Amino acid sequence: MPTELKILIKRQEIEREVARLARAIEHDYKDNNPLLIGILKGSFIFLADLVRKIDMPLEVDFIRLSSYGSQTESSGQIKVLSRLNEPVEGRHVLVVEDIIDTGLTTAYFIKYLKRKRPASVRLCALTEKPSRRKTDVQIDYIGFTVPDKFIVGYGIDWNGKYRNLPNICYIE
Ligand code: IMP
Ligand code: MG
């Protein structure tokens, strides 16, 4: 049970960074009508804010993945809990993640996606913990690099809790 939550990234800072990411995405995709795929549940707030700042046609889909492991660490054994609705073949896909930790979840999902023959696949992550990486994943759009602490808030949970915090916090 967490004893104390400390603010790591304030909501205003998140808002600025999300706007910057949206501008970069807009610039790169122009008239490509990208398909943004949010990985549930952690990306739901980030994706909701991001798409409202992108001023061009796009579509949104979600996938739910789970990784078996301890409460705070991914095992790399990933299961697809709910599938995609939109066809991916020929689409410019942008995967939207809350946090890239070991990178195992995202690496698995990108491999899964590429079998469906999209026109392109890029990755946008709100946060990453580079010190914990166990696999090579290229992050095309990155919000914040965070230290090796367990973070929560702005969609990111601990045991299902704290997703509703407006700031990104860490658990002491
Ligand atoms: P990875 O496969 O190790 O990159 O882990 C990815 C998933 O683990 C993320 O999408 C989160 O759901 C979870 N995760 C990793 N680090 C944290 C954290 O600091 N706080 C909350 N969830 C985390
Ligand atoms: Mg996640």
Side-chain angles (χ1 to χ4, degrees):
M1 187 70 191
T3 49
E4 209 184 332
L5 292 173
K6 296 218 163 118
I7 294 180
L8 183 66
I9 308 164
K10 289 203 169 119
R11 61 201 298 176
Q12 295 85 348
E13 217 180 316
I14 299 171
E15 200 182 326
R16 268 200 306 277
E17 187 57 22
V18 172
R20 188 192 67 80
L21 291 169
R23 281 195 302 274
I25 291 164
E26 230 176 71
H27 172 269
D28 293 353
Y29 284 90
K30 289 186 186 84
D31 301 317
N32 277 327
N33 185 29
L35 174 64
L36 275 64
I37 300 179
I39 301 184
L40 291 174
K41 300 174 186 172
S43 71
F44 82 112
I45 293 179
F46 174 42
L47 182 59
D49 281 348
L50 184 69
V51 293
R52 282 179 289 179
K53 292 192 160 77
I54 301 176
D55 184 19
M56 68 180 182
L58 58 78
E59 284 159 55
V60 172
D61 200 358
F62 291 98
I63 191 156
R64 185 132 179 244
L65 304 174
S66 86
S67 91
Y68 296 111
S70 68
Q71 262 174 18
T72 57
E73 179 148 18
S74 158
S75 62
Q77 287 180 273
I78 316 299
K79 203 175 157 193
V80 176
L81 294 180
S82 96
R83 293 177 181 284
L84 295 167
N85 285 316
E86 301 297 327
V88 158
E89 189 172 343
R91 299 297 306 269
H92 292 282
V93 175
L94 180 61
V95 177
V96 179
E97 250 290 32
D98 54 350
I99 177 160
I100 314 283
D101 184 25
T102 63
L104 294 168
T105 307
T106 314
Y108 170 91
F109 180 57
I110 287 176
K111 215 186 270 174
Y112 170 93
L113 262 181
K114 283 186 172 165
R115 287 202 296 269
K116 299 178 184 292
R117 302 197 298 156
S120 68
V121 180
R122 284 187 185 159
L123 174 61
C124 173
L126 179 65
T127 63
E128 67 153 342
K129 283 185 205 163
S131 61
R132 306 234 324 146
R133 200 64 31 86
K134 283 187 185 159
T135 178
D136 220 11
V137 291
Q138 186 192 326
I139 311 176
D140 302 282
Y141 305 93
I142 176 69
F144 301 97
T145 295
V146 297
D148 184 11
K149 291 182 185 299
F150 198 80
I151 63 170
V152 294
Y154 196 71
I156 304 168
D157 74 305
W158 174 84
N159 249 3
K161 302 282 192 309
Y162 305 118
R163 295 191 198 275
N164 54 324
L165 299 177
N167 305 302
I168 293 175
C169 301
Y170 64 94
I171 293 176
E172 275 275 76

